[in-house]
Amino acid sequence: MPRLDRHFWSCSCTRHRSHPRACAGGLAARVGEMISSSASRSSRLGAPSGPDNEPSLRPRSTGVGGHSGSWHHHLVQRSLVLFSVGVVLALVLNLLQVQRNVTLFPEEVIATIFSSAWWVPPCCGTAAAVVGLLYPCIDSHLGEPHKFKREWASVMRCVAVFVGINHASAKLDFANNIQLSLTLAALSLGLWWTFDRSRSGLGLGVTIAFLATLITQLLVYNGVYQYTSPDFLYIRSWLPCIFFSGGVTVGNIGRQLAMGVPEKPHSD
């Protein structure tokens, strides 16, 4: 029995002594498997928060707010420019009508600047801003961008022709107002054909002329001001031609100002 115990003990000792590297390798393999399994579980559950992972966890900016702010900024700028243009045109053109005694205002509403009523410049400025912003919006809605003579030189020539038409209405003497109205109607259509040639421009010009003529009829009927020698109810028959050519002119200015402006952002 003592010999058997010694033999068993010597065999076990020699066995453990002969495989120390194998035991260490197996232990390292098991530790590696445990670490890899824990890492895979943590990746499934979600990456831990840290400085390296912060950019992936932050929401990406879509830039809609920036585009919206830029679009509104351009809209305000265009509105102010169009309002200023309307005020200047109203003061200059109305001066021709007042000097030729075509338009008569009550003395109590006459302002010292250009002998015009105080409410004429702001009303014309507001109308110019609305019309100038409406033209490019209608073009965009119809999907027909206006590309005919899109340069400032053409726009300035259009303004000069419009001032000339208004000047002709006050300076030219015809046998009757019908001849003058037909002449101004031909000049107004020529202005549209030369500087616009779009269906939207023609339709908006006719609509503006109709609405402006209706509003003017109501103002004159209520005694706000009056026209000398009216031949179309309470106004001159050539006045719709002035409104038509004015709408086309201001529309071209609005279209030119809208060039290069970013489109209005759409929120889904």
Side-chain angles (χ1 to χ4, degrees), residues 212-266:
T213 301
L214 180 60
I215 294 173
T216 305
Q217 293 277 16
L218 295 175
L219 292 176
V220 176
Y221 176 78
N222 291 314
V224 177
Y225 68 103
Q226 60 181 346
Y227 286 91
T228 57
S229 303
D231 60 331
F232 181 51
L233 295 180
Y234 302 101
I235 63 174
R236 295 285 186 97
S237 57
W238 46 260
L239 195 59
C241 302
I242 301 297
F243 290 143
F244 175 83
S245 58
V248 173
T249 302
V250 175
N252 281 337
I253 297 175
R255 283 167 168 169
Q256 191 67 29
L257 291 173
M259 290 186 63
V261 176
E263 297 182 358
K264 183 178 180 181
H266 300 281

Side-chain angles (χ1 to χ4, degrees), residues 101-113:
N101 292 325
V102 177
T103 306
L104 300 177
F105 291 96
E107 295 182 358
E108 60 269 14
V109 300
I110 292 293
T112 56
I113 180 171

Side-chain angles (χ1 to χ4, degrees), residues 154-167 191 195 249:
S154 176
V155 173
M156 292 298 103
R157 289 194 294 269
C158 182
V159 173
V161 173
F162 169 62
V163 174
I165 292 175
N166 190 85
H167 187 73
L191 180 142
F195 301 103
T249 302

Side-chain angles (χ1 to χ4, degrees), residues 14 17 20 23 28 33 54 78 87 89 114 116 165 167-168 199 201 220 260-261:
T14 54
R17 288 176 183 177
C23 296
E33 291 177 359
E54 285 180 1
R78 287 187 291 152
V87 169
L89 289 177
F114 291 104
S116 177
I165 292 175
H167 187 73
R199 294 180 298 174
V220 176
V261 176

Side-chain angles (χ1 to χ4, degrees), residues 24 58 69 72 75 108 133 136 139 142 156 158 160 186 237 261:
R58 292 175 182 174
H72 285 93
L75 180 65
E108 60 269 14
L133 295 176
D139 293 338
L142 296 177
M156 292 298 103
C158 182
S237 57
V261 176

Side-chain angles (χ1 to χ4, degrees), residues 57-136:
L57 296 177
R58 292 175 182 174
R60 295 182 179 179
S61 177
T62 57
V64 175
H67 288 295
S68 178
S70 177
W71 185 84
H72 285 93
H73 180 68
H74 284 287
L75 180 65
V76 173
Q77 284 184 338
R78 287 187 291 152
S79 301
L80 292 177
V81 172
L82 290 168
F83 181 85
S84 302
V85 169
V87 169
V88 172
L89 289 177
L91 292 175
V92 174
L93 301 181
N94 191 61
L95 176 63
L96 297 174
Q97 304 291 339
V98 173
Q99 287 181 345
R100 296 288 293 180
N101 292 325
V102 177
T103 306
L104 300 177
F105 291 96
E107 295 182 358
E108 60 269 14
V109 300
I110 292 293
T112 56
I113 180 171
F114 291 104
S115 299
S116 177
W118 64 267
W119 51 267
V120 172
C123 290
C124 292
T126 303
V130 173
V131 172
L133 295 176
L134 187 61
Y135 264 75

Side-chain angles (χ1 to χ4, degrees), residues 9-23:
W9 178 254
S10 61
C11 290
S12 62
C13 289
T14 54
R15 187 181 298 174
H16 285 288
R17 288 176 183 177
S18 61
H19 301 285
R21 294 181 180 179
C23 296

